[in-house]
Amino acid sequence: MYQFRPELFNPPQRQAVLHDEGPMLVLAGAGSGKTRIIAHRVAYLVDIRNVAPDHIVAVSFTNKAARELKGRVAELIGQEKARQCHLSTFHALGADILRAHITKLGWKLPYAIIDTDEQLGIVRSVLKELHLQGSSYDPQDILGFISRVKTAHVMPLDMPGMRWKPQGRTLAKIFDHYQIIRKSMNAIDFDDMIALPVDIFEKYDDVRAQYADAWKYLLVDEYQDTNELQFKLLQLLCRQRANLMVVGDDDQSIYAFRGANSQHILDFPKLFQNVRVIALEQNYRSTQPILTAANAVIAKNAVRHQKNLWSEHQVGEKIRVFACSNPEEEARFVVDQISLQRAAKNLSYRDFAILYRTNPQSRAIEEQLVKQMLPYRIVGGSKFYDQSEVRDLVFYLRSIYSFHDELALRRIINTPRRGVAAAALERIDARAKNENLSFLDAVRAEIDHGQLQAAARLKLTEWVEVLESFHRRVMSKNEPLSVTLTALIERIHYIAYLQSSCNSDQNAQHRRDNVDELVEALAAYERQNGRDLSGFLQQLMLDPPKKEDDENPDEITLLTLHAAKGLEFTSVYIVGCEENLLPHANSLREPELSEERRLFYVGITRAKQFLTITHTNTRKKMYETLRIMPSRFLSDIPKDVVEFAQAEDSISTQAMKEEQHKTMKSRFAQLQSFFDKKA
């Protein structure tokens, strides 16, 4: 049974956890312990207020945050009660709603969830169908437009300026064709996971009322990142009662490019009656000099909820700001400083992060890290699900689970290679269109009545038999799904196919390991959730498995300022703090400039003990060397918490070298003493 201990919380935290009912806005400054507050709020409602666990919904924006919240709640009230609570991301919550009600909108069950690559494939098909291939319409740009339309939850021509743009009607036509093809394939994309539940709630008030009545307490983490769709979903759920607790920080709203609208948190007190506002200002992460700098920088933004972060760690090193001649010198200086600081402060490589505004800035830094043979990782590398061998087998699972999943069937019809020529696929497509058949039925018809070559007919017959036999195995529920997948891998000779398609034994082994990881992921899911292939496929799309040994390697972390949100490091280096880079050249007017300042604020507040900021005096653009001005944001930092210097003559660098020398001398003395005792 959960016991609330008030002495473990500061006064504003206690107020947030013990809030009775009604709307509440918790302004959670950086490092103020917001996840802990949400977890204890859930535990308080369940074990002290006796609220049924399944009446509570708490949503986060990232899988990592949702996992952390689930773990903390489980520690407080136990696994069983935590499992009954709806603790997930917005997308997972939407997917659960769709599994129960998507048929109301004309979809079949089970539906497929498609990723960006599959969306691009549909867009390319649309461009081909509309004779726009090779035109100025870029598939990636079109996909971005489709996402913006769905996120805004409007018709394409209702987007700002679209009715007067020369290409407006063409883009609207592309959007409509994309939607038609996607639905004909019984597939939904990631935006649909929120858009379609909103459609269901708006068209079927009885369904909305059912969920609004069942979900009596709503908690939202990182509320400043909500887009129009997510905001509308929350509004629909809160129509009957306003037990909505939102936690966030408008000063960390940095995702406008994804559709996030900071006005949702700024206007929250106006949207509901009798809103209670609580500010969490005590920071448990950083030293006071770092927070003093962060407060001064963000105070320059005119539109914000007032907060002033403070820490009990009043003493701390000054922020160091260094001017470097050019990006190459900046990279050398930063890498040298990390080596010095690591030795002087007895830190690990994992304690360091290098933050930058744009991805290309990492090149010079990577070159120096490689040159000095220091371990590093770049956040945002390829994901488990992106590996081709994983995708192949996931598409097989999707195909044997649902013969409606045309995208999956198309992906695997020639994997492993079956010698089905492009001309044969075109005949199958033509038959499907002319005879109004599903893709798989068109394949069957082509086998029975078409003009396929004998070898292709034999291979396709075998392929259909594999699909049908393994579909029966999945539906019979006579064996664990991981056993079925292992048998499928053997039946299609997939390991031999991998071996033959790899250029080295090492590459082949890596890909076999990924196959084993997928089988283990399926087995682990079964142990936790039971035999539910649909649920596993959904989780794999929304939250791919990660290898435990990759979670916290002893490596320097390189990442963009956008990717750094939610993370913390003992020592942070922010590089390229210059005009036209931070703030970016495309964001020098409001409201973009305020978001750039928030981005810098996020970077500052990632640092726990040490913060170093660098900028260059020159940068090359094409064949021209340009003079660069330091970022305007640097002048906002109070002089008493910062040390400005040229890279080559820093006082703190000399002090660090002396400290390093003392540390190494002390370690040598300890080793000498150890060996003397042994002798």
Side-chain angles (χ1 to χ4, degrees), residues 316-318 320 337-349 351-352 570-571 573 609-612 652-664 667:
E317 291 197 8
K318 286 186 175 183
R320 304 181 304 152
Q337 287 289 304
I338 288 175
S339 294
L340 277 172
Q341 198 174 43
R342 176 174 173 268
K345 306 296 183 182
N346 196 24
L347 300 176
S348 301
Y349 287 118
D351 294 320
F352 294 91
T570 301
S571 181
Y573 287 75
Q609 295 182 37
F610 312 108
L611 175 61
T612 305
S652 63
T653 298
Q654 185 58 40
M656 202 183 297
K657 286 181 178 178
E658 293 174 2
E659 192 172 346
Q660 180 194 33
H661 179 71
K662 289 179 183 176
T663 302
M664 299 306 291
R667 288 179 187 169

Side-chain angles (χ1 to χ4, degrees), residues 27 124-127 149 154 210 225 228 232 336 383 419 443 491 493 553 570 649 669:
L27 296 169
R124 292 187 184 102
S125 297
V126 171
L127 292 177
V149 171
V154 296
Q210 170 192 331
D225 293 334
E228 293 304 320
K232 191 167 287 190
D336 286 344
K383 299 175 183 176
V443 172
R491 177 69 177 78
H493 309 294
T570 301
D649 59 11

Side-chain angles (χ1 to χ4, degrees), residues 229-246:
L229 267 179
Q230 292 154 343
F231 177 69
K232 191 167 287 190
L233 182 66
L234 291 172
Q235 278 190 316
L236 289 165
L237 288 170
C238 289
R239 188 179 293 174
Q240 289 172 232
R241 60 174 64 82
N243 282 333
L244 175 63
M245 170 180 165
V246 299

Side-chain angles (χ1 to χ4, degrees), residues 393-404:
L393 294 175
V394 168
F395 279 114
Y396 260 102
L397 287 173
R398 281 170 51 175
S399 297
I400 64 176
Y401 182 63
S402 170
F403 293 159
H404 301 304

Side-chain angles (χ1 to χ4, degrees), residues 405-573:
D405 196 339
E406 182 177 328
L407 284 169
L409 290 164
R410 287 177 179 277
R411 163 84 183 217
I412 63 168
I413 194 168
N414 248 337
T415 305
R417 288 181 288 272
R418 295 186 175 84
V420 182
L425 290 174
E426 287 177 6
R427 285 199 299 274
I428 292 168
D429 284 339
R431 185 181 287 273
K433 188 174 183 180
N434 296 334
E435 300 178 20
N436 194 26
L437 298 173
S438 71
F439 181 76
L440 188 58
D441 284 340
V443 172
R444 291 185 179 115
E446 196 65 25
I447 291 171
D448 293 337
H449 312 295
Q451 299 176 352
L452 291 171
Q453 296 291 328
R457 180 180 287 108
L458 183 63
K459 289 288 186 181
L460 282 177
T461 300
E462 183 184 11
W463 178 68
V464 172
E465 289 173 352
V466 167
L467 295 179
E468 291 174 341
S469 64
F470 278 89
H471 177 76
R472 289 192 294 270
R473 286 178 71 161
V474 166
M475 295 305 164
S476 69
K477 302 181 179 180
N478 291 329
E479 63 186 7
L481 291 170
S482 54
V483 172
T484 307
L485 176 56
T486 301
L488 174 66
I489 292 167
E490 293 175 358
R491 177 69 177 78
I492 62 175
H493 309 294
Y494 192 76
I495 299 303
Y497 163 70
L498 278 186
Q499 192 74 42
S500 66
S501 60
C502 291
N503 54 14
S504 71
D505 290 342
Q506 184 178 4
N507 186 25
Q509 183 61 54
H510 173 72
R511 297 180 70 184
R512 286 198 299 272
D513 288 345
N514 282 335
V515 170
D516 292 342
E517 185 73 18
L518 178 64
V519 174
E520 174 52 33
L522 181 53
Y525 181 87
E526 275 191 285
R527 289 193 294 269
Q528 185 75 20
N529 302 282
R531 195 180 183 281
D532 179 9
L533 183 54
S534 176
F536 172 74
L537 292 171
Q538 175 180 306
Q539 177 176 290
L540 193 63
M541 290 294 292
L542 297 178
D543 189 11
K546 296 172 180 61
K547 295 182 180 179
E548 291 299 322
D549 56 355
D550 290 336
E551 283 293 311
N552 194 24
D554 190 21
E555 297 169 339
I556 299 163
T557 302
L558 276 63
L559 69 172
T560 65
L561 286 159
H562 281 102
K565 188 165 169 291
L567 303 177
E568 60 182 46
F569 302 90
T570 301
S571 181
V572 167
Y573 287 75

